[in-house]
Structure formats: C-alpha cells, structure tokens
Amino acid sequence: MSLPSTAHHTAPALPLALQPQADTLAELQQRLAQVEDFGGQMSAAIDQLVDALLEVKAAQQAVVAPAPELAQITALHTKVKELEQQLTVERSCRDFANVSRMHPKERCVVFVGTTFFGDNVKYAWAAFRERAAALGIACWWLPYNADQQRLVTSLGGDCLPAAYTDWTPDHLHVALSAATVVLTDHFLNPNPFAAALMAGARQVQLWHGLSIKEIGFRNLPPGRALGPHLARVLNTCGHFASFVGTSAGNEADWRRWLAFERYAPIGYPRNDVLHREPAGADLANVDPVAYQRAADTLAKGRRVYVYAPTFRDANRGKWLLSAGLGNVAQAVAARGDCLLVNLHPVEAPQVHELAAALPTVTFVQPRTDIYPLLARSSALITDYSSLIFDYLHVDRPILLFRPDHESYVQHSRKLFDGRLAELPGPVLSDAPALARELARTGAKDSYRHARQRLAANTFDTLDGESAQRVAELIASEVELALSR
C-alpha cells in the first residue's frame, strides 16, 4: 500500500500515539468493512484477515489526517483493535478444539451452567453428584458467572472459575480431559474458550423443555440477520452424543430442530421436584420471599397462581401493562389469593420497572429456579411456554392467557402447536376473561381429562425418577468416551 505525502496536507502531523491506521478516513472505513465482512468466514479467511490487520498497522507511522476527522478515525481505530482481538480468540478456539479432540479423556464430567442456577442441569447435577464418587467419576460445574460459582461452591460442588484468567493448570486439565459435558441449552458460556476446550467430550443435551414454537434449525431469520452470532447459535444446535426427551413419540420433532446421535426418552430431571416436597438442593436459587408467600397463602386456605409467560421480541416486559396484568392482580388480591409472576430470563431486566408500575403483583426474583414454586401452586397461567407440559405432572388447572396472539405469531415466533391439538385449559384473550376464569378455578375442573390424555402422550414416565435415569445415561457416556 502506498503512503501519502505530508506535503498534500495542511494539518500538522499528529502525535505518534494518535496517528490513525490508514491513509484517510474513507480508506479506514473501507478496510473496517472488509474486516467485518471476513469476520464470520471460515478459519482460512480468519488467518487472512489477521494478516490484513497487521498490514494496516504497518502504515501507522506515516499517516496524517485533517483535525475534523480525528474523532471518527480514533473510534474506528478502537473498533479495528476490538475486531483484531475477537479474531485472535476465534483462531485460538479453533486450535484449542483440535487439542481437546486429541487430548486423552478421563473419568470426568462437566455440567455447563446457564444464565441462572436451575432447570434440568441443576437437578441432573445434584443427582449425579450422589453417584459420582461411587463410580469414580469427577463431577465439575462450569459457571455462567461469579455468583453461580459462589453458589455451587457453597453447596460443596467442584466448580471451575467463572473467569478463565483465574484458571489454574489443573482447571485447564479438567476441561481438556473431560469425557462428557452436560448441557441444557446452547453452549454459549461467557468464557470464550470453554466450548473449544471441551470440544472433544461427548455432549449430553438435556435442553430446556418441550416446545410449541419453532426452534433450532427451524427458527431461521431473514438473510439480513446472517452473521457471526446466528452462525454460533446454529453451530451449537448439535452434534450431541445423546439427547434427552420425554417421549419416544417426540423424537422426530427433535431431529427437525437439533442434531444428535442417541435419543433418550427418559424424562426431565427438573420435573422430579413436582413429585416430592422440595428440600435441600431443590431450594438452591429459589426466591425465598415468593416461596414463603406461597406457603403462607396455602396455609390460609387460599390459592396461589403462578403466571409464567414467555418473552416477546418487541416491547419486552412492557407488553404486560397493556395486557391488563394490574387489573388481574387486584382482583386476585381482593380474594386473598396470591399471584406470582415469573418473567422469562430474556425479560428479567424489566422486573424492577414493572414492579414499580404494578405494586399488587409479586414478581419472582429474576433468574431463580421456579420449579419448587410450581410444586406449591394451585394453578398455572402461561401462554406458549414449555411449562405447559411440565405442569402436567401435578395435574392442576392450566390457563392459557394470550392477549397478543396475532402479534406474537407474526412478530415473535412461529408456532409448532401440533402437541396441543387437545388443549389442557381455556385460552383467554383479555384480562377481564382471565380474572373471571381465576375466580372460577377450583369450582369445576372441566379440562382434567384433557390434561391427563396430554400427559400420557407427552411423557413415557411420570414417576419422579428422571434425574436418576439421566445420571445413568451420563455414566454410560463416560464409558463410551473412554472406550474409544
């Protein structure tokens, strides 16, 4: 690349620390665009891009720019540095993944935490820990953040540090030598190296519930959304060694959405707590205020309603205000009953704002485990959530509150609702209808037989022993990994 002569510029030369990386702002913008275009390409393109960035750096010593362009050039300079760092991580992950596939495996299992300590992975971890010592298998947890690390450690579990900069050589060995990794979602841990360091392990995917929405390979956006984030999400839709489901009849649906070798219809560990009195580790990361309020309400002979809607892609959280949630809460409170509202983790940031606007609503603390609360509820209110199916384990009323149905299916998600050919409860489209139905709840349960038929079609077993079966599956995956 030819460098410009300073004779053509009237502005004085910039100090070396502030000199930009290209001849002009236009050239720097063009080069940045090239960086972004190449950023999502394959490994060979990443190598070429890093070389191109080094070439840009070589031009730094001889570049000058008019003063008005300095702020924009400095911002673009920072952006180029960020992209260079990202590309360096990408190239490192490619190499770490190869190391993981070559590295000898040991009797070690790593459970991957999601944004909160709960769901199937929490209950599978608790069950497997009880058996791991007897089987001679090390059991580790990969936390999503520092709070989760402290919680798991307080429960006596072995936990990798949340920050990879705090890893010791022993921690690195755990990741590289793990025979099996247990997931309950996409492997998108904030540690940028974690997935690559465990790429050679056999993955057991528990997922986070049955769906009536298109997910995975069938939840594809328009072409304008193509980019690194979408590529990463789709790449974590498989390929799993084992996939845990609830019924043999659901296997074909899961294979439309995700990629895996073995299908195991052995049930969800999180549903086991609906068959027992929650205790011990069951109550870890459960909102104590909401849990106690539910207990107190039931002790008074009143009813507890859990409202757990899924998230909206637009107007997040605030859509509840226009749906009339405040009026429903007032009607419930007037009867002495309790309404607990559990927002989807995606909408959790809106809880504080909504709580101020809806003082009669008890919002469950964000990113806590809702399943022990379900065990102490009288009825479930939801819309399109997989909780519809989980709640079948307790055989109590389910109300489907869908005040924005047309908007949801047009702007948020396409539905895959063949599993609900027979509804487990009434569909309610506005707040007054929901309030009236809640007032009648318990008087006559006209949907009970429909729920029982749906449960029989959805679950091969409803015995509260799913976590033990999952523990056996994980142990078998360890043996398969070591036999290769």
Side-chain angles (χ1 to χ4, degrees), residues 48 82 90 128 167 222 241 262 272 292 313 319 436 472:
Q48 295 175 13
E82 292 174 354
E90 290 291 333
F128 190 75
W167 283 28
R262 295 197 294 169
D272 292 356
Q292 188 59 51
D313 288 330
W319 66 273
R436 289 192 299 270
E472 293 176 7

Side-chain angles (χ1 to χ4, degrees), residues 44 71 96 120 224 435:
F96 283 144
N120 285 319
R224 62 178 177 272

Side-chain angles (χ1 to χ4, degrees), residues 99-406:
V99 173
S100 177
R101 295 184 183 101
M102 292 186 292
H103 198 284
K105 301 307 174 190
E106 298 179 2
R107 300 180 70 79
C108 176
V109 176
V110 176
F111 290 77
V112 179
T114 61
T115 58
F116 68 101
F117 186 70
D119 220 303
N120 285 319
V121 70
K122 166 189 169 179
Y123 294 96
W125 171 79
F128 190 75
R129 279 187 66 203
E130 296 178 358
R131 305 184 58 187
L135 296 172
I137 299 176
C139 180
W140 286 80
W141 183 275
L142 174 68
Y144 192 86
N145 52 38
D147 287 341
Q148 198 171 108
Q149 178 184 343
R150 285 189 287 271
L151 176 57
V152 171
T153 302
S154 72
L155 294 172
D158 290 325
C159 193
L160 295 165
Y164 70 85
T165 51
D166 294 334
W167 283 28
T168 66
D170 287 341
H171 294 135
L172 188 60
H173 179 77
V174 166
L176 289 171
S177 63
T180 303
V181 169
V182 183
L183 306 160
T184 192
D185 204 336
H186 299 282
F187 199 158
L188 300 175
N189 191 272
N191 181 335
F193 304 110
L197 291 168
M198 290 180 266
R202 291 180 66 82
Q203 294 187 351
V204 175
Q205 177 60 263
L206 308 179
W207 204 242
H208 46 278
L210 291 164
S211 180
I212 61 170
K213 301 170 289 188
E214 291 286 16
I215 61 173
F217 298 140
R218 294 302 181 100
N219 182 35
L220 301 177
R224 62 178 177 272
L226 291 177
H229 177 71
L230 176 64
R232 188 181 179 199
V233 170
L234 291 178
N235 190 49
T236 56
C237 288
H239 194 278
F240 310 117
S242 289
F243 187 90
V244 172
T246 62
S247 169
N250 292 333
E251 179 175 357
D253 292 334
W254 287 116
R255 290 196 181 276
R256 292 171 63 246
W257 293 325
L258 303 163
F260 49 86
E261 297 173 20
R262 295 197 294 169
Y263 179 72
I266 54 181
Y268 288 153
R270 68 188 187 190
N271 292 160
D272 292 356
V273 74
L274 302 178
H275 293 266
R276 62 178 180 246
E277 180 68 18
D282 293 338
L283 297 176
N285 197 39
V286 174
D287 183 343
V289 174
Y291 191 74
Q292 188 59 51
R293 182 169 185 189
D296 293 344
T297 301
L298 293 174
K300 296 175 183 177
R302 307 309 303 169
R303 302 181 68 79
V304 175
Y305 305 107
V306 173
Y307 177 33
T310 192
F311 70 94
R312 269 53 174 176
D313 288 330
N315 198 26
R316 287 186 176 171
K318 296 179 180 179
W319 66 273
L320 290 166
L321 299 176
S322 57
L325 179 60
N327 294 332
V328 175
Q330 289 176 358
V332 170
R335 294 193 301 272
D337 294 335
C338 174
L339 177 64
L340 304 177
V341 177
N342 184 80
L343 292 188
H344 189 281
V346 171
E347 293 187 329
Q350 281 72 46
V351 165
H352 295 298
E353 181 180 354
L354 290 170
L358 301 169
T360 56
V361 173
T362 299
F363 284 93
V364 179
Q365 185 176 345
R367 302 189 184 282
T368 54
D369 182 7
I370 191 178
Y371 282 84
L373 282 175
L374 293 179
R376 286 198 165 180
S377 64
S378 309
L380 171 70
I381 310 166
T382 187
D383 44 19
Y384 314 100
S385 171
S386 61
L387 289 175
I388 293 172
F389 302 102
D390 294 318
Y391 206 67
L392 296 171
H393 281 261
V394 297
D395 193 22
R396 298 171 195 159
I398 299 172
L399 294 83
L400 304 178
F401 182 44
R402 299 175 175 180
D404 58 345
H405 180 70
E406 289 190 14

